[in-house]
Amino acid sequence: QVQLVESGGGLVQPGGSLRLSCAASGSIFRIYAMGWYRQAPGKQRELVAAITNDGITHYGDSAKGRFTISRDSAKNTVYLQMNSLKPEDTAVYYCNGNYLSGYWGQGTQVTVSS
């Protein structure tokens, strides 16, 4: 089994920055990509960003140009640097392994508000 543990969410003002972290443990050899999804109230869960074991990155339209995904393979950890945050970025952010049919963390709340 794979365990994913997120950290780094919180309250930030519009225009501010946050960095989310996700540490993977367990059967990490099963993971070929890690990433972040988010879900706002009343909306579907959407891809924010993902990075494969080969270092290929994918970004959702809402994240392009503002968010950066990276990883530390030695620590089995993936990061999401979020800059220029907007109120519409408010959501629960979920760490993910292997896209929609894969593994999920418990989620961390990100609230962008003045």
Side-chain angles (χ1 to χ4, degrees), residues 1-113:
Q1 197 52 277
V2 173
Q3 294 80 43
L4 302 174
V5 179
E6 304 106 331
S7 61
L11 173 65
V12 63
Q13 292 187 341
S17 298
L18 275 178
R19 190 176 83 152
L20 305 182
S21 300
C22 174
S25 61
S27 303
I28 56 175
F29 63 90
R30 299 179 183 274
I31 299 176
Y32 54 83
M34 289 185 68
W36 296 89
Y37 286 73
R38 70 185 185 186
Q39 188 165 21
K43 295 188 177 182
Q44 289 187 330
R45 191 170 295 191
E46 63 173 356
L47 174 70
V48 178
I51 184 166
T52 69
N53 286 349
D54 295 330
I56 297 171
T57 57
H58 305 274
Y59 291 94
D61 289 341
S62 62
K64 292 177 181 177
R66 299 187 298 129
F67 297 179
T68 303
I69 190 168
S70 61
R71 64 179 185 177
D72 184 332
S73 297
K75 296 181 179 179
N76 298 318
T77 298
V78 65
Y79 305 97
L80 183 68
Q81 178 67 43
M82 304 186 292
N83 298 328
S84 302
L85 283 161
K86 306 174 183 179
E88 50 263 46
D89 294 316
T90 295
V92 177
Y93 284 69
Y94 295 91
C95 182
N96 167 267
N98 295 351
Y99 302 108
L100 285 173
S101 60
Y103 309 99
W104 296 94
Q106 79 283 2
T108 185
Q109 177 70 44
V110 171
T111 302
V112 184
S113 175

